[in-house]
Amino acid sequence: MLRPLAIPALALAVLAVAGCSGSDAATAEFPTWQNTEVNAVSRMASAGGVVTTTSMKTDGSLETVALDQKTGKKLWQYPATMAGRLPGMGVSAPAIVQGAGGNPVVVALDSQKKDRWNATLVARDGRTGQQKWIRPVHSTFGPQRCGPYVCLSEHTALSGARVVVLDPASGKTLWKLPGIAEVEWSDPTRVLLLRLAANPMIESYELKTGKLLWQQPLEQALGPGIDLSGGWAFGATGDNLTGYVAPYTDPRTKQVSTFGLFSMRISDGGINWMRPSVVRVYPSGNPGYAPVVRPVDLQGAYGGFARLDAGSGRVVGQITTAQVPGSGWWLAFPDRMDKLGFLKHNTKGTAYDLASGESLPVEDETGWSFCVTDPKPLALRGQAQGFYSVAAVCEYDLATGKRTARPGAAPPPWFTGSQDGWRLWRDEKGAVHAINDGTPSAPGMYG
């Protein structure tokens, strides 16, 4: 059950995408900050004016860090760990929930061990870091926010794995389910869980009571033969949840699992549309916001590139197979993803208009690409090998294939996402950046 939040080198080589952007978003007219004291290796989460992330120290240990959203000032940090999380899922991020009285609560895994428990789930006041409650944990994929509560899959390495829904103020268990699940969407009253099972499905629950509202097997959207070992990603806009299931080749049978993109209604689980046998490219917009895919035929050959409308699933722009250069390129998108470029490092690339498919001049075109194309796994202390930090993107000149030197340039909104006007991202050294440019709330590449 691997989820490639941090894209390893092999996936980067196969699914490389970068973005063209002439964005001047990070200018003096907008509130902006950076914090170079941290080395963020997980996604970031925010609530109640506090930003939290998992940072790696120079000795390879992890810590939970809280920053003030308006200034970037570090509020507090405490040791953190992972216990049973799979490397392909990336380093777990803390969960942050808006608490009573407006103060957020940060929930993360601490390295405290006791008896048969391998770690301790600790809830802290988001502003002060004061401990509120603890819960011993044997193994878990990490806590997640689910509406006003905290959801946790625990005992994941044991036969008695279960999902518990916790009160962030007290740690009290409100309700629980057998098995393992991941939160894919929630609001103040409902949560959508991806049940990680032999027959994976999306289930909707009433948050206050745990009442099952509806369930939809993923096979209903894409067909039989789904194996989540290849990874997955979800994103929501409006009343729609868009999901992507990546292909996985069984090492014994050499058979490729069912894969593709689909959309379902949050209200009742009904299927809106499906796009089987396409792979998502990285980096690109969130599946629920601006999905970009490549079709794959029965022989495993890749086609061109298509930008899909998340609401309808229809193709709104594409580049044909014949227009794809031979090798050595990385894709590139502008802020609105209406153009697509093929970036070649240290040499001239090419660009196309997505709507018409016509070739465009690359002079004066810049693009955002992964800063590192051969990332190294994190040297984490006391953890399994194979964890990668969340990828960072850098701006390049498409005409020369070299990095630009434009000061204060911010990655495009399709990459960073936005919440309440704030956009957050990490740079290649792990520093956290933020800008409040009023971008409408939308999911980024990582959710």
Side-chain angles (χ1 to χ4, degrees):
M1 296 165 288
L2 306 181
R3 186 185 188 195
L5 292 177
I7 312 300
L10 179 59
L12 282 173
V14 175
L15 301 177
V17 182
C20 298
S21 173
S23 172
D24 292 317
T27 60
E29 61 186 287
F30 298 119
T32 183
W33 54 260
Q34 62 176 330
N35 187 311
T36 59
E37 297 179 64
V38 299
N39 176 20
V41 292
S42 77
R43 292 187 295 178
M44 285 164 275
S46 62
V50 173
V51 175
T52 185
T53 187
T54 302
S55 176
M56 187 181 79
K57 300 170 68 175
T58 54
D59 64 359
S61 62
L62 298 173
E63 59 181 6
T64 301
V65 176
L67 308 175
D68 180 83
Q69 189 172 46
K70 289 185 178 180
T71 65
K73 178 183 176 182
K74 185 186 290 186
L75 300 173
W76 52 264
Q77 72 276 333
Y78 282 98
T81 192
M82 294 181 289
R85 188 171 173 90
L86 304 178
M89 303 178 78
V91 176
S92 58
I96 184 167
V97 181
Q98 186 77 34
N103 261 18
V105 177
V106 175
V107 183
L109 211 60
D110 194 295
S111 52
Q112 303 173 50
K113 295 184 179 182
K114 186 177 181 181
D115 300 328
R116 66 190 182 97
W117 308 107
N118 296 316
T120 302
L121 192 72
V122 182
R124 294 184 171 93
D125 182 281
R127 283 282 166 192
T128 66
Q130 182 179 1
Q131 183 175 300
K132 299 178 73 68
W133 52 265
I134 63 172
R135 181 185 182 91
V137 172
H138 175 275
S139 47
T140 179
F141 291 164
Q144 292 181 281
R145 174 171 60 187
C146 48
Y149 307 121
V150 175
C151 286
L152 180 78
S153 285
E154 61 180 3
H155 309 327
T156 53
L158 304 176
S159 58
R162 63 185 185 180
V163 180
V164 292
V165 179
L166 308 174
D167 181 339
S170 64
K172 177 184 176 182
T173 300
L174 303 177
W175 51 275
K176 55 190 175 183
L177 298 168
I180 302 173
E182 180 179 84
V183 176
E184 304 304 350
W185 174 90
S186 67
D187 70 5
T189 61
R190 297 167 295 165
V191 61
L192 298 190
L193 297 175
L194 170 63
R195 300 300 299 273
L196 307 178
N199 180 24
M201 61 182 66
I202 295 290
E203 295 180 340
S204 176
Y205 289 89
E206 187 177 88
L207 268 171
K208 190 174 182 179
T209 64
K211 176 185 176 182
L212 176 64
L213 302 176
W214 56 260
Q215 59 184 189
Q216 183 66 273
L218 299 193
E219 288 189 349
Q220 192 68 29
L222 293 175
I226 289 175
D227 189 326
L228 294 179
S229 299
W232 64 90
F234 285 82
T237 48
D239 184 47
N240 298 326
L241 179 76
T242 305
Y244 169 64
V245 176
Y248 175 71
T249 302
D250 189 307
R252 295 169 300 175
T253 65
K254 308 302 180 185
Q255 294 294 310
V256 179
S257 64
T258 298
F259 61 97
L261 206 67
F262 62 92
S263 172
M264 61 175 60
R265 291 188 297 274
I266 290 173
S267 56
D268 60 10
I271 303 297
N272 295 315
W273 55 264
M274 60 191 75
R275 285 277 179 176
S277 301
V278 297
V279 294
R280 182 189 178 199
V281 295
Y282 298 93
S284 61
N286 184 278
Y289 178 63
V292 181
V293 298
R294 292 191 79 176
V296 183
D297 65 21
L298 294 176
Q299 287 70 44
Y302 287 90
F305 293 84
R307 162 80 188 274
L308 305 180
D309 176 77
S312 65
R314 69 183 183 89
V315 174
V316 294
Q318 62 182 328
I319 301 299
T320 67
T321 307
Q323 293 169 302
V324 179
S327 62
W329 45 262
W330 296 76
L331 290 183
F333 295 103
D335 285 357
R336 294 190 301 274
M337 303 181 75
D338 55 353
K339 303 172 188 174
L340 182 150
F342 292 96
L343 167 70
K344 292 196 173 185
H345 290 286
N346 299 313
T347 190
K348 186 177 181 179
T350 52
Y352 294 90
D353 180 276
L354 261 177
S356 66
E358 294 180 357
S359 178
L360 297 172
V362 294
E363 285 70 24
D364 300 321
E365 289 284 357
T366 61
W368 292 87
S369 178
F370 287 115
C371 301
V372 179
T373 56
D374 57 343
K376 303 297 188 291
L378 295 169
L380 294 175
R381 193 175 71 185
Q383 296 291 336
Q385 295 300 303
F387 281 96
Y388 291 80
S389 61
V390 169
V393 291
C394 293
E395 190 180 40
Y396 289 83
D397 183 336
L398 281 180
T400 65
K402 298 181 183 297
R403 288 195 190 182
T404 67
R406 191 159 60 93
W414 56 259
F415 179 78
T416 65
S418 181
Q419 183 176 337
D420 300 324
W422 283 97
R423 301 201 290 124
L424 298 162
W425 69 95
R426 70 178 289 275
D427 64 25
E428 59 184 311
K429 296 181 179 179
V432 176
H433 297 251
I435 182 171
N436 186 353
D437 59 5
T439 299
S441 294
M445 175 177 154
Y446 291 112

